[in-house]
């Protein structure tokens, strides 16, 4: 019976497999220095990069000149991003809220390692990523990874380790690798983050002047220059005390698509657009199609095929057509005096007030827009509005210069009694996350005070959406002199979790009738070393006498829940789905998401339990290696599953594993 890998995927090996499929002649062997000994040489697959470069070039490659952006440590950052780790995420039910029902996640740990562990569970499943990484000001602590300076003596001398041996350092501008270290830190994380985005996904990255230029180059490389959407200049309504000569009161937000072509297609299908100067072409097309006898629905579908400019203004906001033809906004869509009929609000389950002058669309059109989810309803009695991409203004595309509706959220944080030195502005984050579909997963792996989680809950309360958030934050210690520490918060994660709790309750208290089903909970998971002992990974290092003294491969302090979530990560299952536990013939059996995975980690599992699990025909089943007294008993497990799942007999060895 095969064992689960229990470590993050080896992305380098996967990349070599892809290259081998395309260019088998570029695959070679090289000495594996890590696993070789003087007595035994071990070899591993590798890529002949010189040959690969030639395979990808129509000309003779004999030089080293190329247009590229590089820095000291770039190659090491790539290696670090692809390197597998032996770590896991351990559930913490006590610090969670609504553990059994929530679909939100709050993960504590270094985001580079967390992103590695999420590679299979959330591959291409995240619709939107927003991050506000540490700015390289010369005073901020930044994440130090294995590719940083390696001399331990120098590190210790410079104070680059904290009292718990965490690799953090103060990136002062006297550091010879001031920019390089920051570039390496963000580059490896963006490489991994891209894998998690869906094909129509988008990433937003906030930054200031310090690294804006370098960040754009890194994003061009990791996402592709063709996938660049825009740079937003955000007026922060505040100024930086350290800025000289000019009072800097703005920051940037860079926007990139995972695949801009997929994004264009989706945008055109849902919000087809017409450039103003081509409107006569569309009017002529409408008249032609009307003469041919096409219905209005058929004309609409035909016009959509002509759309090549999805970035232009929304068609329905500027143009309207009915049986009489195509009309501009000035004609009010054939409703010259406005539509006075009230509009049903599905959130409040009541009729919204009619705006002065009436609605500009007729009742049939409003009903259609409502069904398509194009109308932004409110719970506070304000007028409904047509949804826009990134902007509440109905009559124009979003502008690249944005001004937040409020100053930094210090007053709000004081209201929640969760102090934070520089919280992100809720208005801006809410505006950004509002572009995601109502059921999207939104990721922020520099969570800070958890503004993104707050914004997601607020948006869901306003439009009835079911967006889910994944927050990732390193549990950085609070300065003992800070207000946060004095208020009892020992690290940033404690601040973020408490803010989510209080913000969620505040949102529900304001609209109790319309937020009964609002998800304001979160499952807390904490990064930790593997659940498995070293013998699990390196049995060759142990002799028979030593192995005989080991009762289990699993560390003694790990619970069934730790093991269950470790299996979810290894098998690439989402971490927010429901599960249940029950007793069967004295053994505890865990069922995840109605049979996506069934696990039993007890010792001496009787055959009756194996039969009961097999009868339920799970997609995957996991047992403890020490749960069976002998190899014949483990082999018998396969036979039992084949008996009860004959239609899947050929896949049983892949679907039943041990740890």
């Amino acid at each position: 019976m095969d064992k689960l890998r229990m470590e993050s995927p080896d992305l380098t090996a996967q990349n070599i497999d892809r290259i081998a499929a395309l260019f088998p002649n570029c695959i070679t062997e090289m000495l594996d220095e890590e696993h070789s000994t003087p007595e035994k040489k071990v070899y591993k697959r590798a890529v002949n990069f010189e040959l690969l470069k030639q395979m990808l070039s129509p000309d003779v490659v004999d030089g080293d000149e190329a247009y590229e952006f590089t820095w000291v440590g770039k190659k090491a950052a790539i290696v670090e991003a692809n390197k597998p780790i032996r770590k896991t995420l351990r559930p913490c039910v006590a610090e969670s809220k609504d553990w059994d029902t929530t679909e939100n996640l709050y993960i504590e740990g270094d985001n580079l390692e967390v992103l590695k562990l999420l590679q299979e569970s959330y591959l291409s499943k995240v619709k939107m990523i927003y991050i506000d990484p540490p700015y390289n000001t010369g005073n901020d602590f930044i994440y130090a990874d294995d590719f940083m300076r390696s001399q331990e003596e120098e590190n210790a001398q410079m104070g680059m380790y904290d009292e718990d041996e965490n690799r953090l350092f103060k990136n002062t501008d006297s550091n010879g690798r001031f920019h390089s270290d920051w570039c390496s830190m963000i580059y490896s994380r963006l490489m991994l983050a891209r894998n998690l985005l869906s094909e129509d996904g988008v990433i937003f990255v906030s930054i200031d002047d310090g690294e804006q230029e370098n960040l754009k180059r890194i994003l061009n490389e990791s996402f592709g220059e063709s996938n660049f959407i825009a740079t937003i200049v955000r007026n922060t309504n505040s100024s930086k005390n350290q800025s000289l000569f000019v009072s800097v009161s703005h920051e940037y937000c860079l926007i990139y698509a995972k695949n801009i072509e997929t994004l264009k297609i989706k945008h055109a299908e849902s919000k087809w657009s017409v450039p103003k100067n081509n409107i006569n072409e569309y009017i002529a097309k409408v008249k032609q199609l009307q003469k041919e006898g096409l219905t209005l629905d058929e004309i609409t579908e035909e016009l959509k095929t002509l759309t090549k400019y999805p970035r232009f203004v929304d068609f329905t906001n500027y143009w309207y057509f009915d049986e009489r033809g195509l009309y501009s906004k000035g004609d009010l869509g054939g409703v010259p005096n406005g539509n006075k009929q009230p509009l049903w609000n599905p959130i409040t389950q009541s009729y919204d007030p009619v705006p002065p002058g009436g609605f500009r669309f007729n009742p049939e059109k409003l009903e259609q827009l409502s069904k398509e989810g194009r109308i932004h309803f409110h719970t506070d009695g304000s007028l409904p509005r047509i949804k826009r991409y990134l902007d509440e203004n109905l009559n124009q595309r979003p502008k690249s210069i944005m001004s937040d509706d409020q100053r930094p959220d210090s007053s709000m944080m004081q209201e929640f009694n969760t102090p934070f030195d520089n919280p992100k502005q809720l208005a801006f984050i809410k505006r950004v996350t509002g572009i995601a579909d109502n059921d999207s997963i939104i990721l922020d792996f520099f969570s800070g005070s958890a503004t993104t989680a707050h914004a997601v809950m607020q948006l869901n309360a306003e439009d009835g959406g079911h967006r889910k958030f994944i927050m990732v934050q390193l549990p950085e210690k609070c300065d003992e002199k800070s207000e946060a520490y004095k208020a009892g918060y020992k690290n940033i994660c404690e601040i973020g979790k408490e803010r989510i709790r209080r913000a969620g309750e505040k949102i529900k208290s304001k609209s109790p009738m319309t937020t009964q089903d609002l998800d304001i909970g979160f499952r807390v998971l904490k990064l930790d070393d593997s659940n498995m002992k070293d013998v699990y990974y390196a049995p060759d290092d142990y002799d028979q006498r030593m192995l005989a003294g080991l009762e289990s491969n699993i560390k003694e302090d790990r619970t069934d829940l730790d093991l269950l979530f470790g299996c979810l990560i290894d098998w690439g299952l989402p971490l927010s789905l429901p599960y249940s536990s029950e007793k069967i013939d004295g053994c505890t059996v865990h069922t995840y998401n109605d049979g996506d995975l069934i696990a039993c980690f007890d010792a001496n599992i009787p055959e009756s339990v194996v039969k009961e699990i097999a009868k339920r025909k799970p997609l995957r089943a996991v047992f403890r290696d020490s749960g069976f007294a002998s190899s014949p008993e483990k082999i018998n497990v396969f036979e039992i599953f084949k008996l009860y799942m004959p239609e899947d007999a050929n896949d049983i060895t892949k679907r039943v594993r041990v740890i």
Side-chain angles (χ1 to χ4, degrees), residues 609-632:
V609 173
V610 177
K611 286 182 177 180
E612 179 58 32
I613 294 175
K615 287 179 183 178
R616 299 181 183 184
K617 300 185 177 183
L619 294 177
R620 306 163 186 86
V622 181
F623 301 94
R624 198 168 183 152
D625 192 26
S626 58
F628 305 99
S630 62
S631 294

Side-chain angles (χ1 to χ4, degrees), residues 97-98 102 104 457 500-501 504-505 508 518-522:
K97 181 178 177 63
D98 301 332
T102 185
N104 302 317
M457 293 188 296
I500 298 173
R501 294 187 192 101
E505 293 298 338
K508 295 194 83 168
L518 180 66
D519 185 356
I520 59 172
F522 53 93

Side-chain angles (χ1 to χ4, degrees), residues 161-398:
Y161 289 89
D162 67 14
E163 60 189 22
D164 293 324
E165 297 300 311
N166 294 317
R167 294 189 305 275
L168 296 169
F169 72 98
K170 203 168 188 177
N171 195 38
T172 63
D173 50 17
S174 61
N175 175 10
R177 289 172 43 163
F178 177 68
H179 290 291
S180 293
D181 286 345
W182 190 91
C183 288
S184 292
M185 181 277 295
I186 199 68
Y187 185 50
S188 55
R189 287 160 175 82
L190 289 174
M191 288 175 61
L192 294 170
R194 184 183 181 278
N195 297 336
L196 303 181
L197 275 180
S198 60
E199 282 303 300
D200 60 346
V202 184
I203 184 171
F204 293 75
V205 187
S206 288
I207 198 67
D208 67 353
D209 279 312
E211 295 291 351
Q212 189 271 345
E213 181 179 0
N214 288 335
L215 175 63
K216 191 169 190 300
R217 290 178 175 179
I218 290 172
L219 285 164
N220 280 344
E221 183 166 319
S222 52
F223 282 81
E225 191 169 354
S226 62
N227 289 315
F228 171 68
I229 294 177
T231 297
I232 292 175
V233 179
R234 182 170 70 94
N235 179 4
T236 60
N237 289 323
S238 62
S239 60
K240 294 183 178 179
N241 295 329
Q242 69 268 31
S243 58
L244 299 176
F245 308 116
V246 175
S247 178
V248 177
S249 59
H250 73 276
E251 292 177 344
Y252 305 94
C253 186
L254 277 62
I255 312 174
Y256 281 75
K258 169 76 172 287
N259 185 334
I260 201 165
E261 295 304 319
T262 302
L263 195 63
K264 285 180 180 178
I265 293 171
K266 181 178 179 183
H267 186 65
E269 288 176 347
S270 60
K271 300 179 181 180
W272 82 279
S273 311
V274 179
K276 288 183 183 179
N277 57 350
N278 285 355
I279 188 61
N280 291 331
E281 173 188 343
Y282 286 86
I283 292 176
K285 187 66 176 177
V286 169
K287 292 180 179 178
Q288 174 193 335
L289 296 174
Q290 284 179 322
K291 289 180 180 179
E292 294 177 4
L294 272 67
T295 66
L296 289 178
D297 288 340
E298 290 170 338
I299 292 175
T300 300
E301 293 303 314
E302 182 69 21
L303 289 176
K304 286 181 180 180
T305 64
L306 302 176
T307 304
K308 298 179 181 178
Y309 306 94
R311 291 176 295 171
F312 281 86
V313 294
D314 189 347
F315 173 87
T316 56
N317 277 336
Y318 269 93
W319 315 105
Y320 177 85
F321 84 92
D322 59 18
E323 290 79 0
R324 295 167 292 173
L326 192 65
Y327 299 88
S328 70
K329 176 190 168 187
D331 295 320
L332 291 174
V335 191
N337 297 317
N339 167 26
K340 305 293 186 179
Q341 181 172 321
L343 181 63
W344 178 258
N345 185 327
I347 299 179
T348 61
Q349 293 293 299
S350 62
Y351 285 99
D352 276 348
V354 178
F359 293 110
R360 46 180 272 223
F361 294 121
N362 61 33
E364 293 76 18
K365 186 64 178 180
L366 286 177
E367 183 180 359
Q368 174 191 338
L369 292 174
S370 180
K371 289 180 179 178
E372 293 174 354
R374 292 289 316 284
I375 297 180
H376 189 103
F377 291 98
H378 301 269
T379 59
D380 57 3
S382 56
L383 297 175
R385 292 175 286 180
I386 305 295
K387 289 184 180 179
R388 294 291 302 155
Y389 177 79
L390 273 180
D391 206 298
E392 294 294 340
N393 191 323
L394 302 185
N395 300 322
Q396 63 183 28
R397 285 174 288 156

